[in-house]
Amino acid sequence: MMTILILIIVLALIFDYINGFHDAANAIATIVATKVLSPFQAVVWAAFFNFLAYWVFGFGVADTVAKTADTMSINLTVILAGIIAAIIWNLLTWWFGIPSSSSHTLIGGFAGAAIAHAGLDVVNWYKEGKAGEMPTGVLVIVGFIVLAPLIGAIVSYAISAWLLHSAKRSIWPKLFTLSLMIATVVFVYFQMVPYDKIHKPRFESHFWSVVFESHNIKWFLVAFIILTISSFCLIFSFLSHHQSTKWLRKMQLLSSAAFSLGHGGNDSQKVMGIIAAAILVYVHQEGVTMASMPDWLHVVLPYKDASGDDVAAQMPAWIPLACYTAISVGTLSGGWKIVKTMGSKITKVTPFEGVTAETAGALTLYFTEHLKIPVSTTHTITGSIIGSGLTKGTSAVKWGVTVKLVWAWVLTIPVSAALAAILYYILKIFI
């Protein structure tokens, strides 16, 4: 069984690599379409920030993915079938240039193989969240197939409208912008985790421990993004068309970097969750204790101890490091067929649409990661591009292409689930 566990870990990292070049288009399509960076520069830029996400995000999404199915009721064959199905679907959609969701094919594969093994009850379909937290389960993830692109579209449309109004020589857009800047600073200040509530401070200095706490870094990034766009809005009406385009091209570097951070943090965590689930299943299947496992396989998912206190997740450092490295190397490999679809076939993209879409996509990913919900970066950025395009009218969006994308999204989970179930029955004969 240890051999199968190692095989699952290797395949999970291969899936993470494929995810990188399959979803590279999410982060680089607009920046390549607007020729702010060359394709090679864009993938290096995206890969760097994919990897940088290792120091920014926690394990919330990984925990949600690991709990897709009851790890006490499945075996390693289930996880193996799920990963193979996800790899096959990702390669097929990449070959045909369809920007489908790597996240949902992984969830669908995991759930489909689990159902084939132990029936519908083994899947965590819906579970009420603790006070102040979102519910979890496959149905919530399915719901965000619609909600993630919708949120991205709404946020992108709102940012676009904000920028367009800021281009007018009027005092009201500037007053709105100043009010938003103040509200952002106040809101982010109250979201900060103080030193005495940090479980594992990274530095002896209280100040640097607070600054580099992963939860705080995310909110600093949100503030930085909003304040940067706000600063541009304050001067937008005084710029010529040439000057504003020049500024927007520079801002695309920021928005693309922010989205790449969200992409790395969201998608790498899913593979971390699968690896964690595989280790827990191995422990249960072999009847051993976690304490008897080698240190490099010692995994703890969040739980409440006997006194009711929350115990944080723990993973050997190599797991997140390997996952973030794999997705970064995959991003460096590019995904040019999907880049073409995302960068030109949905709507015409200029630096204006690039900034608004990528910013909206990044903010949506940060928001859903904060809620520990694994969403599709593909769906998110597609919705954001559509939202930005809608400011020019509904005719600016190529709805024929968009409908085809939606069908790919709808089919991803059931097709991956069915494929994983078939693979499970085949693998069960040999394992």
Side-chain angles (χ1 to χ4, degrees):
M1 284 299 153
M2 178 59 76
T3 302
I4 297 177
L5 176 60
I6 299 299
L7 177 61
I8 288 172
I9 293 172
V10 171
L11 286 175
L13 293 175
I14 290 173
F15 171 82
D16 206 19
Y17 167 79
I18 294 170
N19 187 359
F21 73 73
H22 186 280
D23 287 5
N26 299 337
I28 70 173
T30 57
I31 207 167
V32 170
T34 55
K35 298 181 181 179
V36 171
L37 292 177
S38 69
F40 177 75
Q41 291 171 329
V43 292
V44 171
W45 183 257
F48 173 75
F49 286 98
N50 275 174
F51 186 75
L52 196 63
Y54 170 63
W55 285 276
V56 177
F57 297 96
F59 302 140
V61 172
D63 176 46
T64 301
V65 173
K67 293 175 179 177
T68 297
D70 181 6
T71 53
M72 298 298 102
S73 303
I74 60 176
N75 56 31
L76 291 179
T77 308
V78 168
I79 301 178
L80 182 60
I83 291 178
I84 294 174
I87 289 174
I88 292 172
W89 179 252
N90 253 9
L91 289 175
L92 281 173
T93 51
W94 165 77
W95 180 258
F96 290 105
I98 302 170
S100 67
S101 168
S102 297
S103 308
H104 291 140
T105 190
L106 191 61
I107 296 293
F110 193 6
I115 292 170
H117 172 72
L120 291 169
D121 291 341
V122 73
V123 174
N124 172 25
W125 295 105
Y126 183 84
K127 184 178 179 182
E128 289 286 348
K130 294 180 287 186
E133 292 189 5
M134 284 283 293
T136 59
V138 172
L139 292 179
V140 175
I141 296 170
V142 170
F144 270 83
I145 291 178
V146 176
L147 288 176
L150 182 60
I151 293 170
I154 292 171
V155 174
S156 181
Y157 185 88
I159 294 173
S160 299
W162 174 29
L163 282 168
L164 289 171
H165 280 85
S166 297
K168 300 175 182 177
R169 290 183 178 272
S170 169
I171 190 63
W172 299 112
K174 293 175 176 56
L175 289 176
F176 170 80
T177 299
L178 287 171
S179 299
L180 183 62
M181 294 175 78
I182 295 170
T184 299
V185 171
V186 172
F187 176 78
V188 170
Y189 173 79
F190 284 106
Q191 293 298 318
M192 293 295 101
V193 175
Y195 181 82
D196 57 353
K197 291 187 178 180
I198 297 176
H199 294 296
K200 291 182 178 180
R202 297 185 179 184
F203 302 93
E204 291 184 7
S205 165
H206 287 205
F207 174 79
W208 291 116
S209 294
V210 170
V211 169
F212 286 98
E213 171 64 19
S214 60
H215 173 88
N216 293 345
I217 292 176
K218 282 183 288 187
W219 288 112
F220 286 143
L221 286 170
V222 169
F224 181 69
I225 292 168
I226 295 175
L227 294 177
T228 299
I229 295 180
S230 297
S231 299
F232 174 76
C233 286
L234 291 176
I235 64 170
F236 195 6
S237 62
F238 303 107
L239 301 176
S240 66
H241 177 74
H242 174 74
Q243 289 172 323
S244 61
T245 300
K246 186 177 179 181
W247 274 99
L248 285 166
R249 288 172 66 86
K250 290 179 179 179
M251 287 169 62
Q252 257 201 281
L253 294 173
L254 169 64
S255 59
S256 177
F259 188 83
S260 294
L261 270 174
H263 172 222
N266 195 284
D267 284 23
S268 290
Q269 282 194 58
K270 294 155 191 170
V271 178
M272 288 159 55
I274 290 295
I275 293 175
I279 294 171
L280 293 173
V281 168
Y282 173 84
V283 168
H284 175 71
Q285 197 172 341
E286 293 298 294
V288 298
T289 63
M290 187 59 74
S292 66
M293 295 285 284
D295 290 342
W296 65 280
L297 288 175
H298 198 276
V299 167
V300 177
L301 292 180
Y303 70 95
K304 287 187 177 293
D305 59 20
S307 60
D309 294 328
D310 289 325
V311 177
Q314 295 179 31
M315 285 189 188
W318 73 267
I319 294 179
L321 190 60
C323 289
Y324 282 109
T325 300
I327 200 169
S328 300
V329 173
T331 299
L332 280 171
S333 302
W336 310 118
K337 292 183 179 181
I338 298 174
V339 166
K340 187 177 180 181
T341 299
M342 299 291 284
S344 61
K345 291 187 177 180
I346 296 174
T347 188
K348 183 181 179 181
V349 177
T350 68
F352 180 91
E353 285 81 25
V355 169
T356 55
E358 289 163 351
T359 301
L363 292 175
T364 303
L365 289 180
Y366 295 168
F367 171 70
T368 52
E369 197 281 337
H370 179 68
L371 297 177
K372 303 178 183 179
I373 300 171
V375 300
S376 167
T377 53
T378 305
H379 297 184
T380 303
I381 193 62
T382 302
S384 299
I385 292 172
I386 291 171
S388 183
L390 284 173
T391 58
K392 297 177 288 187
T394 55
S395 60
V397 177
K398 298 172 185 176
W399 295 106
V401 174
T402 304
V403 169
K404 291 178 182 178
L405 297 182
V406 171
W407 272 112
W409 301 350
V410 171
L411 292 173
T412 292
I413 288 182
V415 170
S416 299
L419 181 59
I422 294 169
L423 286 169
Y424 169 77
Y425 289 123
I426 294 172
L427 290 171
K428 191 168 70 169
I429 297 172
F430 301 100
I431 298 178

